[in-house]
Amino acid sequence: MSGTATVGEVPVEARALVKRYGHILAVDHVDLTVHAGDIYGFLGPNGAGKTTAMRMLLGLLNADEGSVRLFGRDPHTDLPRALDGVAGFVETPNFYSFLTGRKNLELFAALDGGGAAARIDQALDLVELRDRASDKVGGYSQGMKQRLGLAVSLIRDPKLLVLDEPTNGLDPAGIRDMRATIKGLSDRGMTIFLSSHQLAEMEEICSRVAIIRSGSIVYEGALEDVRASVEPRYRLRTTDQARAEAICRAEPRIGDVGLDGGDIVLTADETIAIALSRQLVEAGLGIAALTPESATLESLFFELTEGTRPHEKEAA
Amino acid sequence: MRPSTLTAYRWEVRKLLAEKRSYIGIGAAALLPTLFVIVMGLQTGGPYDVPLGHNLRHSGISLTLVVLTFASRFGAQLVTALVAGDIVATEDAGGTLKMIFTRSTKRSQLLAGKTLATFTYTLALLVALGVVGLIGGVIAWGFNPITNLSGTTISAPHALGLMVAGLAVFAAPLLAVAAFGIFLSVATRNSAAAIVGTLVYALAQEAIGGLVHVHWIQTYILSAQFDAWHGFFQTPTDWTQISRGIWVSAIFIVAPLAAAFWLFVKRDVAN
């Protein structure tokens, strides 16, 4: 099963993927490349095409155009072989509610073959469901189903794990545990492809991200590059905000001047920020704070998906 | 090593066994002959005009066969449709189809497992009906010889053997109804639509058989094959009727199943 995933092949390689529903273009020439060892975040607002793209990756949807390769194999023409070494789920993981958690795992393990059945206890321990394994899934909470979804994926001993919103329905402790589990799996060499709305969460664990908007990828790259790609932002508080704002607006090398709460926010590189501080002091203003704001995934997300910064969205 | 179709089949049977509604169908099949005996006990008359009906009250072996005639009009199709129409559609609606499609078993094997499990269930219905009918009938009217449709007397053991053979032949058109239910279950992705559609299909054939007085239609329509077992109770045995019942049913099994497999293997699994 998983052992047959070819070492050295790229875990996920999608090229010019297109999916149409009638006249609606759900996925528009999407390119994705997930390298071995990545924790790859797939971000986008609701309806952007994330789940459709993920379904195509797993061979659940046929692409109208383009190609997908999982470890070099095409999930649209070479199933189930193309899913060797791949596990995961899209949207909520669903189970047979009239069977117990363990019976569900046994069923899926039987459909996997190989040594999947022998990994059931280990998977149940990892997601901390061993003591509820003999209960029917119909009585599970959403969070427990998410954890069982992870367990049913792990019994395949995958090299690539595809998870769609794995923290949905989890309480804060559950989210923390899921994050730790994903990091732990990554440390063991597993490549992870996950979508989430938890941007802070994704920023903390992902090494690379792709952002999709209206079916198209608007950003794909390393998270470090996200930070570098966005102009440095500063937050300014002075003794006279009106004059300070006027000074900022008069300086052509300062951009995106705006108000966020009582603070002035602006974009400028470091030398301009230093020059601004001098200028403000020379103008007789006291500076209470001039603090750099690191470019966050959230700011990039809103900029790319809505064309706004978070504070602009709040102000609006 | 990849899982076999047998693995998929075993798990489909386990799923059916884990669901209470599966037992309702089997229970209904067992209840039908029991009710028949009770009703017959409460009245003096009986359905003596149906094939082999004249043997009622003389031999318990005839009970199952008489009940079979009534079941062939609606009941057997209903219970079969309930399982066949649901077998794939319920997984589509419940979201488990997308889960099993991402495992290491081929889609064709998954559907083969579901088809075999549905057929097993259909046969179990007939076994339940046959066993309970035999026991109930023998308790009520004894293990006695019967008079066949040609007026020949058949010993009780021989009649029992023919009853088993008759049930086996009766299974063929019932499996054809199941096959159509599976096709609708795949095609509509909706349990209710598939179940109702299967019943309409079965009833429409009955209606066509009754309304259209064209010989070849009345001979080769699926509903006509529910009477193929009568061939065992003719003297001499009417092998033409029996073999036609089997091969015509086989066509009605293969055609919808081929369409179901074609759809199932290439289908998208979307919301």
Side-chain angles (χ1 to χ4, degrees), chain B residues 156-243:
Chain B
H158 187 199
L160 177 60
L162 291 179
M163 184 201 89
V164 173
L167 278 171
V169 170
F170 183 87
L174 200 54
L175 293 180
V177 172
F180 192 79
I182 292 167
F183 162 70
L184 283 186
S185 192
V186 172
T188 65
R189 308 178 181 212
N190 181 305
S191 292
I195 291 166
V196 172
T198 305
L199 282 176
V200 169
Y201 169 76
L203 292 174
Q205 300 230 16
E206 281 283 339
I208 291 167
L211 295 172
V212 181
H213 298 286
V214 178
H215 177 70
W216 69 267
I217 289 179
Q218 289 187 326
T219 305
Y220 296 105
I221 202 163
L222 182 63
S223 56
Q225 313 321 315
F226 281 106
D227 294 334
W229 61 272
H230 293 175
F232 285 117
F233 294 89
Q234 307 274 4
T235 306
T237 303
D238 187 350
W239 289 108
T240 305
Q241 187 181 14
I242 293 165
S243 61

Side-chain angles (χ1 to χ4, degrees), chain A:
Chain A
M1 198 191 59
S2 63
T4 57
T6 314
V7 176
E9 291 278 8
V10 179
V12 179
E13 202 168 21
R15 293 289 171 265
L17 271 186
V18 173
K19 185 67 185 178
R20 294 185 189 85
Y21 293 108
H23 65 280
I24 297 168
L25 191 56
V27 172
D28 183 7
H29 294 90
V30 161
D31 292 334
L32 295 170
T33 306
V34 181
H35 300 289
D38 278 350
I39 300 183
Y40 191 97
F42 194 39
L43 313 174
N46 287 337
K50 292 192 303 291
T51 299
T52 303
M54 291 176 81
R55 282 176 186 271
M56 285 195 281
L57 294 185
L58 289 175
L60 293 170
L61 278 182
N62 293 301
D64 292 321
E65 292 173 33
S67 65
V68 181
R69 294 288 182 275
L70 302 176
F71 295 106
R73 289 187 179 134
D74 186 344
H76 300 116
T77 60
D78 194 14
L79 282 175
R81 251 172 30 117
L83 294 179
D84 285 349
V86 181
F89 55 83
V90 287
E91 294 184 315
T92 311
N94 298 100
F95 297 95
Y96 301 98
S97 58
F98 50 87
L99 297 177
T100 66
R102 182 179 288 280
K103 278 280 176 229
N104 267 282
L105 291 181
E106 286 173 2
L107 185 157
F108 285 106
L111 298 180
D112 286 332
R119 287 186 282 271
I120 288 175
D121 284 332
Q122 192 187 346
L124 283 169
D125 285 338
L126 189 76
V127 300
E128 296 178 2
L129 277 178
R130 175 84 86 114
D131 56 337
R132 296 292 305 275
S134 52
D135 294 346
K136 287 190 176 169
V137 170
Y140 280 20
S141 67
Q142 181 60 34
M144 289 167 72
K145 287 179 187 167
Q146 288 289 133
R147 281 148 59 198
L148 192 64
L150 183 60
V152 85
S153 301
L154 293 178
I155 59 172
R156 284 173 67 78
D157 191 23
K159 303 283 182 284
L160 168 66
L161 186 60
V162 179
L163 301 173
D164 191 7
E165 304 279 356
T167 54
N168 260 4
L170 297 181
D171 59 19
I175 292 172
R176 180 199 60 204
D177 294 346
M178 181 67 83
R179 184 174 61 216
T181 303
I182 289 171
K183 275 186 171 174
L185 294 170
S186 174
D187 291 343
R188 281 160 44 186
M190 202 178 286
T191 303
I192 302 187
F193 183 103
L194 73 156
S195 76
S196 176
H197 285 116
Q198 306 278 343
L199 296 174
E201 199 75 28
M202 297 286 264
E203 188 163 16
E204 200 168 324
I205 62 172
C206 291
S207 53
R208 288 166 58 77
V209 294
I211 297 175
I212 187 169
R213 182 187 66 183
S214 304
S216 301
I217 298 293
V218 289
Y219 180 86
E220 189 194 24
L223 208 53
E224 291 161 4
D225 297 338
V226 170
R227 297 185 179 103
S229 71
V230 179
E231 272 193 284
R233 294 186 61 75
Y234 287 87
R235 185 170 285 268
L236 173 65
R237 200 177 313 135
T238 68
T239 50
D240 187 341
Q241 292 292 77
R243 279 182 64 204
E245 187 184 354
I247 290 168
C248 290
R249 290 193 188 279
E251 170 53 64
R253 290 171 297 175
I254 295 175
D256 294 337
V257 178
L259 287 170
D260 182 21
D263 294 344
I264 298 165
V265 287
L266 54 98
T267 57
D269 64 31
E270 195 176 65
T271 55
I272 303 302
I274 292 166
L276 173 66
S277 67
R278 287 199 189 107
Q279 202 179 342
L280 292 169
V281 172
E282 284 165 8
L285 272 64
I287 300 174
L290 179 57
T291 50
E293 280 189 321
S294 61
T296 62
L297 185 57
E298 185 183 53
S299 63
L300 179 75
F301 180 85
F302 284 119
E303 198 168 310
L304 292 175
T305 59
E306 296 181 359
T308 60
R309 300 274 185 177
H311 74 267
E312 291 168 345
K313 188 175 169 62
E314 282 161 22

Side-chain angles (χ1 to χ4, degrees), chain A residues 1 19 21 55 58-62 79-81 83-84 88-96 98-99 103 106-108 110-114 152 155-156, chain B residues 1-3 7-8 11-12 14-16 18-21 91 94-107 110 114 266-271:
Chain A
M1 198 191 59
K19 185 67 185 178
Y21 293 108
R55 282 176 186 271
L58 289 175
L60 293 170
L61 278 182
N62 293 301
L79 282 175
R81 251 172 30 117
L83 294 179
D84 285 349
F89 55 83
V90 287
E91 294 184 315
T92 311
N94 298 100
F95 297 95
Y96 301 98
F98 50 87
L99 297 177
K103 278 280 176 229
E106 286 173 2
L107 185 157
F108 285 106
L111 298 180
D112 286 332
V152 85
I155 59 172
R156 284 173 67 78
Chain B
M1 202 176 75
R2 293 206 182 275
T7 303
W11 273 100
E12 288 303 327
R14 282 194 191 188
K15 280 192 271 181
L16 283 176
E19 290 191 274
K20 285 178 189 149
R21 60 184 170 169
E91 297 234 20
T96 46
L97 203 59
K98 72 181 183 203
M99 301 291 286
I100 59 174
F101 273 6
T102 52
R103 315 310 289 195
S104 298
T105 308
K106 289 180 180 173
R107 288 186 182 193
L110 291 170
K114 287 181 179 297
K266 72 175 198 62
R267 77 184 305 168
D268 279 345
V269 185
N271 284 333

